Amino acid sequence: MQRRHFLQTSVAALAVTGSSSAIHATTKTPAHHDITISRFKFVPDTLDVRIGDTITWLNKDIAPHTATANDDSWTTDELGKKQSQTLTITTEMSGKYYCVYHPHMKAKLIITS
Ligand SMILES: [Cu+2]
């Protein structure tokens, strides 16, 4: 009488608890930035922003100013004394801008993702 030996292979199920690379959806709350136009300068003249952030330009000069993209893709209205305007950052706003009345007034937005 032949006995059959059945090999029972027990598979040790390895529970691999690998730390799933942090896919935390970092919900970034849009930030607000203020840029003052004073003495024919944008202050600050370079600003790091993110898409969806807002910027308010406030003109503290007597002369009217604008914040206008070098490539004219966006602009504020003419801002008179003590006038301000708020824009929401979009992708095309990355780069240099100036004042149409005073082209020597230069500034830059840097979009960080
Ligand atoms: Cu100006």
Side-chain angles (χ1 to χ4, degrees), residues 94-107:
S94 176
K96 297 176 180 176
Y97 67 94
Y98 70 114
C99 169
V100 293
Y101 303 119
H102 314 98
H104 63 281
M105 293 174 60
K106 294 171 184 170

Side-chain angles (χ1 to χ4, degrees), residues 17-34:
T17 50
S19 57
S20 57
S21 56
I23 312 174
H24 300 291
T26 44
T27 42
K28 289 154 187 166
T29 310
H32 181 78
H33 311 271
D34 288 298

